[in-house]
Amino acid sequence: MAQFKTVLVAGGFGRLGKFIIDEFVANGTYNVKILSRPSSLTERISVIEKYKAVGVEVVAVEYTDHAGLVKILKGVDVVVSTVSIEAVYDEQIVLIKASVEAGVKRFIPSDFGSDHERVKHPFIVPKVRIAEHLRAHKTLEHTIFYTNYWTDTTLQFAGWDLDAHKAIVIGDGNDKFTLTHRRDIAKFVVASLKNPKARNAVHGTASEVVTWNEIIRSAEKHSGHKFEVTYRSLSEVEEQLKITKESAFETARDELFSLPPRGQGVIVENVKEEYPEIKTITIDEYLREYYANKP
């Protein structure tokens, strides 16, 4: 198995990237770089200084500059991409090409969501194409992470209002599904670099398996308020998806949260047992912290 020393995180200032950067820094055994566009640097001066103080190098280049990308990637062993969904194909395809030319050993794409085989929605297509592209490369290893819903963002994405004590649920609320906290995703990513089974593999991760009704009870316990819950039947949602004129965000949301009542909410390829050293964060812990920080 290849020994990895230098890691570059593309999108390292983003919603997930910052957690991965922090975990690599905490691990202390890797040289860590953040790839950014030059135009983004002036917006993040204080953050950049914070990272520089702990040894993180920030490098800047436009994704359209192939030669510049190759130069920056020379000497990098692993690229972890956390670019946004809007850039998940166009930016990653050039990043993969430059990684191959620069001699990068492993590429972890910006996936970190639901199983490709289960979600049938246009927004997942770029991720599928990137996965297929990576599998075709013989010299560049890959690990694809299926994390399902993120513990610390999924309630808001699902249309819940934690402060107004309102929840929206597709189905009867008793269907099981997996959650992974962003801090745990970062831990799994870092730990995977020392796991031979992660080479050219799909890594399904989960902090826990829960139901919506369990989350509602937890939210009521920690908030001290009864929640107003709107239950939408799966058949109603599926009919709406056939004729909808809603935004791409709303249709993607409904498609994603229809997985549990379809019996597809639990990540099958869960590798949590391979990492017993990782103590995962539960939704109950997240909600306890959320409400504890409220005035």
Side-chain angles (χ1 to χ4, degrees), residues 7-14 17 21 32-38 40-41 44 48 56-65 68-73 76 78-83 91-92 94-96 98-99 107:
V7 176
L8 178 143
V9 180
F13 296 120
I21 290 291
V32 184
K33 299 183 179 184
I34 298 175
L35 177 63
S36 177
R37 295 184 188 84
S40 299
L41 298 184
R44 298 184 169 94
I48 290 170
V56 176
E57 181 182 356
V58 178
V59 292
V61 68
E62 296 292 351
Y63 283 80
T64 53
D65 181 0
L69 276 173
V70 172
K71 183 178 179 180
I72 280 174
L73 290 169
V76 170
V78 180
V79 171
V80 181
S81 175
T82 61
V83 299
E91 290 187 359
Q92 287 194 118
V94 298
L95 195 53
I96 292 168
S99 295
F107 193 99

Side-chain angles (χ1 to χ4, degrees), residues 49-260:
E49 290 304 316
K50 182 194 80 169
Y51 280 131
K52 284 183 177 179
V54 292
V56 176
E57 181 182 356
V58 178
V59 292
V61 68
E62 296 292 351
Y63 283 80
T64 53
D65 181 0
H66 176 73
L69 276 173
V70 172
K71 183 178 179 180
I72 280 174
L73 290 169
K74 287 284 187 182
V76 170
D77 297 309
V78 180
V79 171
V80 181
S81 175
T82 61
V83 299
S84 66
I85 188 67
E86 295 83 7
V88 80
Y89 184 78
D90 292 340
E91 290 187 359
Q92 287 194 118
I93 204 73
V94 298
L95 195 53
I96 292 168
K97 182 179 179 181
S99 295
V100 171
E101 189 170 330
V104 172
K105 297 171 184 175
R106 182 172 296 179
F107 193 99
I108 298 175
S110 185
D111 214 297
F112 307 110
S114 297
D115 187 331
H116 296 166
E117 299 301 319
R118 297 180 174 186
V119 182
K120 306 302 179 185
H121 191 277
F123 85 92
I124 205 77
V125 172
K127 293 185 176 185
V128 174
R129 291 173 65 193
I130 287 295
E132 292 171 346
H133 189 72
L134 283 169
R135 291 185 180 110
H137 278 286
K138 303 303 180 186
T139 59
L140 181 63
E141 299 176 5
H142 66 269
T143 308
I144 297 169
F145 281 85
Y146 292 162
T147 62
N148 215 39
Y149 313 140
W150 296 356
T151 305
D152 48 329
T153 65
T154 203
L155 299 183
Q156 292 82 352
F157 182 34
W160 289 38
D161 188 331
L162 292 175
D163 297 328
H165 314 110
K166 294 181 179 180
I168 300 172
V169 173
I170 298 176
D172 63 7
N174 292 318
D175 304 295
K176 294 183 181 296
F177 57 91
T178 45
L179 289 171
T180 313
H181 197 287
R182 283 182 291 177
R183 291 180 199 154
D184 293 339
I185 295 173
K187 288 182 171 66
F188 284 119
V189 167
V190 174
S192 75
L193 299 189
K194 294 187 181 298
N195 181 0
K197 294 181 180 179
R199 181 179 179 271
N200 296 332
V202 169
H203 247 33
T205 66
S207 299
E208 63 179 331
V209 180
V210 293
T211 69
W212 290 118
N213 287 337
E214 288 171 346
I215 296 174
I216 291 165
R217 288 193 289 272
S218 178
E220 290 177 339
K221 175 181 69 176
H222 292 299
S223 69
H225 291 271
K226 184 73 175 174
F227 264 59
E228 178 186 330
V229 185
T230 301
Y231 289 95
R232 302 171 64 196
S233 71
L234 177 61
S235 59
E236 167 204 333
V237 172
E238 289 181 331
E239 283 301 312
Q240 186 64 33
L241 284 169
K242 292 177 184 177
I243 61 172
T244 188
K245 297 185 183 299
E246 292 180 310
S247 70
F249 173 86
E250 290 168 324
T251 57
R253 178 196 62 197
D254 284 354
E255 183 66 42
L256 279 172
F257 293 115
S258 292
L259 293 178

